[in-house]
Amino acid sequence: MTTRSASLPEPGMPIAAVATPVGVGALAILRISGRGVFGIAGRIFKKKQNPAFRFAEAKGYTAHFGSVHDSEGLIDEVVALVLRAPNSFTMEDMVEFTCHGGPVVVQHILKVLLDEGCRLAEPGEFTRRAFLNGRIDLLQAEAIGEMIHARSESAFRTAVTQMQGTLSLRLEAMREQLLRSCALLELELDFSEEDVEFQNRRELQQQLGVLQEELRRLVDSYQHGRIMKEGVATVIAGRPNAGKSTLLNTLLGLERSIVSHMPGTTRDYIEECFLYNKTMFRLTDTAGLREAEEAVEHEGVKRSYRKIAEADLIVYILDLTLDDYADEVARILEFKSEYRNARMIVAANKIDLASESPERIQELREATGCDVCGISAAKGEGLETLKELMSTMVVGLDKLHEASVLVTSLRHYEALRNASDALENARMLINSNSETELIAFELRSALNYVGEITGKVINEEILNMIFDQFCIGK
Ligand SMILES: Nc1nc2c(c(=O)[nH]1)N(C=O)[C@@H](CNc1ccc(C(=O)N[C@@H](CCC(=O)O)C(=O)O)cc1)CN2
Ligand SMILES: Nc1nc2c(ncn2[C@@H]2O[C@H](COP(=O)(O)OP(=O)(O)OP(=O)(O)O)[C@@H](O)[C@H]2O)c(=O)[nH]1
Ligand SMILES: [Mg+2]
């Protein structure tokens, strides 16, 4: 323990924050961390049983009952928890005060803490310190944030897995291998006059191939990981008045989206989560697709296309009461070839109005090659079939593979792709017998990308982006 504390960086400025949500609750927690927090805590806190009590002499992980005062007198009775560096979340000296959970009480205690020398913590600053002091890596810090914000069981599960550090371990192993090869190549550069080869090129080529394969698997897990976290991105698309908003509302069982007989009712897209058969669908109702003349609608249609391009599943709504389906069939075929990553269902709507629906649906099936199901969004007919179809379309997409590591964040996905590209370059250079220097450069670059994910390579901009999303007090 002593060696660990000796190697700890200087504790930061004392910071204070409320760690619990704003509002009325049974209890609330305030925490302080950093240099001199025991002195600060001692000036505002009196221990009932022991007036001579000093935080600096208290053992770590002990709780003390007492009261908090300001110049006017008593504020509240509290429990103070003592955490001694490095055995605290931030690895600094910390004190946590549990007080009564009223917003005014909490603000009073926060104010005395600030008056006594703490600065208000920035969002995520406690976790940032936990990262900078080596308690957790960047992936784990992000996982804590994701866990707090998780709104589904699957999002929660993936966050917990990531918090345990499985992906971190894989990436660290990768980094070590790359570092070793890199070091050997750089050693060759030092002996460049002697034309030696410390790193056998055929071996290196083979090792990089294995690493690249692993990177590719991680990159490929992103769609799956994202779905675990956010749900299946399901976009309801189609012409104006086809019944998209009606379908959204009927699926949700509430009047979320405005429905009217006027074509062009929905302007901006609307997103809501919908759970079916344990699969989370993130449903997006979009503006009807047409050449819009009016500026706002035009922007709406642009957004529709953007959402369609990001979809995992497109539910194309077609109005069966149209006289002619040729344009619709053409668009469906175009979507099929344009959005290859998405799966598509055609929902032929308004079966309650259309005569000869079964025949028309069969024709549509043949013309589009898609799964087509007849529905009445307004009357709720055919929806069970549609939901079943949605569910089978995404089978496997949202189920956790056992023991597999998933990439769930766009940041990680991009860094992994960049790393994989750098390895690809390195392998091409080796194949063409290129100079050692160029190969080493690509390996360094791959190393940097992998290191950015866990935070081994510290990039201030990335840190800000991550920790700014946290709550104050976390
Ligand atoms: N009251 C309280 N609850 C909390 C936190 C906190 O900071 N305070 N946490 C904040 O996110 C989470 C728990 N995370 C934590 C991680 C490490 C340590 C810690 O002090 N570790 C020391 C001591 C271990 C021990 O005595 O067994 C260590 O590992 O050295 C504390 C909290 C959730 N619950
Ligand atoms: N009879 C019948 N009418 C429907 C059905 N579904 C929708 N409608 C009607 O069709 C009209 C258009 O419905 P919306 O849900 O607003 O259509 P939309 O596709 O969202 O239209 P935009 O937002 O303009 O793109 C409304 O008058 C609905 O009541 C249906 O299954 N049967
Ligand atoms: Mg609409």
Side-chain angles (χ1 to χ4, degrees), residues 36-109:
V37 293
F38 291 154
I40 292 170
R43 291 199 288 279
I44 68 162
F45 176 87
K46 288 201 182 75
K47 184 163 172 165
K48 283 274 157 75
Q49 308 296 336
N50 177 11
F53 169 76
R54 287 169 50 84
F55 280 99
E57 284 150 18
K59 277 171 84 171
Y61 273 98
T62 53
H64 306 270
F65 174 57
S67 52
V68 170
H69 298 261
D70 64 9
S71 52
E72 323 242 292
L74 175 73
I75 297 177
D76 193 13
E77 297 196 315
V78 305
V79 171
L81 182 64
V82 180
L83 303 143
R84 303 190 73 92
N87 303 115
S88 76
F89 178 58
T90 58
M91 300 183 82
E92 301 174 334
D93 286 338
M94 287 182 76
V95 180
E96 294 182 353
F97 296 99
T98 307
C99 63
H100 292 105
V104 180
V105 183
V106 168
Q107 283 309 309
H108 268 294
I109 299 178

Side-chain angles (χ1 to χ4, degrees), residues 75 118 219 264 302 325 375 378 393 400 414 416 428 432 444:
I75 297 177
C118 289
V219 166
K302 237 168 72 186
Y325 304 143
I375 62 165
M393 277 280 180
L400 249 187
E414 284 178 342
L416 289 167
M428 281 184 340
S432 58
R444 275 276 156 214

Side-chain angles (χ1 to χ4, degrees), residues 240-246 260-261 264-266 288 349-350 352-353 376-378:
N241 240 12
K244 300 179 293 300
S245 302
T246 309
S260 91
H261 65 278
T265 299
T266 305
N349 191 27
K350 310 194 186 178
D352 55 308
L353 294 183
S376 167

Side-chain angles (χ1 to χ4, degrees), residues 113-184:
L113 289 170
L114 300 180
D115 288 346
E116 288 299 333
C118 289
R119 143 170 96 56
L120 190 63
E122 282 162 26
E125 196 168 2
F126 290 90
T127 313
R128 186 193 278 255
R129 289 188 180 187
F131 162 69
L132 290 174
N133 294 336
R135 156 129 355 258
I136 51 175
D137 70 18
L138 212 45
L139 277 170
Q140 291 170 313
E142 288 175 296
I144 292 175
E146 273 164 20
M147 178 190 191
I148 291 175
H149 288 109
R151 290 186 166 269
S152 70
E153 182 64 22
S154 60
F156 169 71
R157 284 280 150 225
T158 41
V160 172
T161 309
Q162 188 170 315
M163 207 158 76
Q164 289 165 337
T166 19
L167 181 54
S168 307
L169 284 177
R170 288 304 319 136
L171 294 177
E172 267 321 296
M174 244 185 235
R175 250 176 60 82
E176 255 166 50
Q177 263 198 44
L178 280 172
L179 250 158
R180 213 172 307 127
S181 302
C182 228
L184 290 175

